[in-house]
Amino acid sequence: MNYVFYIAAAVAVFSTLMAITRANAVHALLYMITSLLSSSLIFFVLGAPYIAALQAIVYAGAIMVLFVFIIMMLNQGPASTEQERVWISGKTWVGPTMLCAVLLAELIWIVRGDPAWLPGKTIIHPKDVSKALYGPYILVIELASMLLTAGLVGAYHLGRREPERREGES
Amino acid sequence: MNTALINMAMQTTLAAIEPRTIAQRAAESAHENLWITAGYFLAAIVGVALLLSFLGMALIYIERKVAAAFQCRIGPNRVGPWGLLQTVADTLKLVFKEDFVPQMADRTLHMIAPFLALLVPVVLLALIPYSPALQVADLNIGILFITAIGGFGVMGILIAGWSSNNKWSMIGAMRAGAQIISYELSATLALLVVVLFSGTMSLTGIVQSQEDGWWIWRGHAAGLCAFIIYLVASTAELNRTPFDIPEGESELTAGFHTEYSGLRFAFFFLAEFINMFTVSALTATLFLGGWMPFHIGDWTSFNSAMDAIPPSIWFLGKVTAIIFVIMWFRWTFPRLRVDQLMHLEWKVLLPIGFANLFIAAIIVLANAYPYPVAGQ
């Protein structure tokens, strides 16, 4: 299983790098889907099949497909690719690189410490996740669902077609 | 002492004859002999290739014969006995045609797209329990895995349409994307009804939960309703008539595969037919009892006669029946317009699906099945 983890991790890092550096938006998105899928595989190897499936369904499946759909529909030509190429060169790298260095340092610090925390010893089944979600965390679920309902109502309001004005009305 | 020994012997024999999936057997062999594992891999590759080509050709032949019968024609009858070799001849023709990539197309994506489209149904084939002894892998998260992988079928189509750099391909791909994303919701809601009833997400577990009656009967109206919703929604996900506006030839030439020829076109075609098989097999597994034989209450002699038919024949029979119904749809309903398509999903199927899930939850809570099961 270790080999699977390392291969998936390598694919994730490579595809994330490619997703950041591609100038063509559709190529970048496809790389990002690959990255999300490989992180889903990493979840699976670590013993969380349910989270792995959710990662694939929600992020890689639903959200990214929608992204690809929109980007393809806008169908930007070579001009936007050129613009993007200008944007991702030069000074823009400084800030993100520094933040990433902080994260990397943190990661190294954790790994150098106690290895007992490392997951993968137990497999968490869908039933365990559901019991936790609808047991102690039921209030959070309700809040999240309220938030989603508010979002839905807001989207409906924004997308509503204005009733047509008749002649003579201001 | 004696009884303990007998018990142990019983358990070992039970473990020996207990049906295991092919993936489990391959994993166990890895500890013993690497060559056996390699053999499993080789057998899997050859098996999948043979299964795909056979299944594809058989389904295309059946489709043409069924279509001919609906239109009072004879159908293919020249090449080979009863025209059986017609599909083989057509496949050979496609193999030898030029594989054309338009000059302004995104070359890499244009080449990859057909394989992506075919990959999804092939992966799903591994999860289906064909009989108690024949299943490639039985995942604990089976249903979730199906929704996760099934959602990627649209990626191949979207990439094909976009990379072709052609208006018709693009519009076809956009229509396919919108359609598949929308109808996935209803299909998943119908799947959830079965998950509620059976209390498990593993496909073998779902088949075993139908020992006392298939969910289409045992779930009252909710089971039947979920069955119909799933059949309609998955027909729409297949992009088959009456939901085939992504490749509506009267307006879009051929939709997303306008720019494809030769073997890559054949891959899209094959993907469509393998998808049809996968969807029918899933419908049979979830709602029609999979490989379980048909039983009627206390009719012992009738039931034992039904038991005499092997499980794999039961499974294939149910799948064939559903495939026939899907082909029947094609010659019964006219093609829907885009707005009618969206109306059907968002304003008809989705509300019914939600209400159905609610009713199913009540049935499960009240344990109000027609045939109560011990231990449920």
Side-chain angles (χ1 to χ4, degrees), chain B residues 151-169:
Chain B
F152 281 99
V154 67
M155 284 311 298
I157 293 175
L158 277 179
I159 293 174
W162 181 78
S163 66
S164 297
N165 205 0
N166 174 321
K167 281 184 241 111
W168 291 309
S169 304

Side-chain angles (χ1 to χ4, degrees), chain B residues 246-319:
Chain B
E247 37 191 299
E249 49 279 88
S250 53
E251 37 198 290
L252 292 180
T253 317
F256 59 87
H257 55 68
T258 306
E259 298 287 2
Y260 281 90
S261 62
L263 206 55
R264 287 179 209 278
F265 168 75
F267 264 67
F268 276 119
F269 212 62
L270 186 63
E272 195 169 303
F273 278 92
I274 302 294
N275 244 329
M276 183 160 79
F277 177 82
T278 325
V279 159
S280 311
L282 282 178
T283 318
T285 306
L286 294 168
F287 297 100
L288 300 182
W291 40 259
M292 286 282 175
F294 180 68
H295 283 171
I296 299 179
D298 299 331
W299 297 18
T300 325
S301 48
F302 176 81
N303 290 350
S304 55
M306 289 286 128
D307 283 337
I309 303 172
S312 49
I313 300 291
W314 270 111
F315 181 74
L316 273 182
K318 290 169 190 174
V319 173

Side-chain angles (χ1 to χ4, degrees), chain A residues 24 26-27 30 33 37 44 49-50 53-54 56-57 60-61 65-66 68-69 72-73 75 125-127, chain B residues 106 109 139-141 144-145 147-148 151-152 154-155 158-159 162 170 173-175 177-178 181 199 201:
Chain A
N24 188 323
V26 173
H27 291 181
L30 294 178
I33 290 177
L37 278 181
F44 191 84
Y50 183 63
L54 281 194
I57 295 172
V65 166
L66 218 60
V68 171
F69 185 77
M72 282 180 176
M73 198 152 67
N75 204 10
H125 290 298
K127 257 182 191 156
Chain B
D106 194 315
L109 288 183
L139 289 183
N140 189 16
I141 49 162
L144 277 176
F145 190 78
T147 30
F152 281 99
V154 67
M155 284 311 298
L158 277 179
I159 293 174
W162 181 78
M170 189 66 209
M174 290 293 104
R175 285 184 180 182
I181 292 174
M201 287 200 223

Side-chain angles (χ1 to χ4, degrees), chain B residues 201-276:
Chain B
M201 287 200 223
S202 115
L203 286 183
T204 304
I206 287 175
V207 172
Q208 277 158 357
S209 72
Q210 302 181 70
E211 207 168 353
D212 297 273
W214 307 346
W215 287 123
I216 189 172
W217 326 119
R218 266 188 74 207
H220 295 282
L224 188 63
C225 193
F227 170 72
I228 293 169
I229 290 176
Y230 187 72
L231 200 57
V232 173
S234 45
T235 312
E237 276 192 73
L238 291 176
N239 288 334
R240 278 183 64 87
T241 345
F243 303 102
D244 68 339
I245 54 161
E247 37 191 299
E249 49 279 88
S250 53
E251 37 198 290
L252 292 180
T253 317
F256 59 87
H257 55 68
T258 306
E259 298 287 2
Y260 281 90
S261 62
L263 206 55
R264 287 179 209 278
F265 168 75
F267 264 67
F268 276 119
F269 212 62
L270 186 63
E272 195 169 303
F273 278 92
I274 302 294
N275 244 329
M276 183 160 79

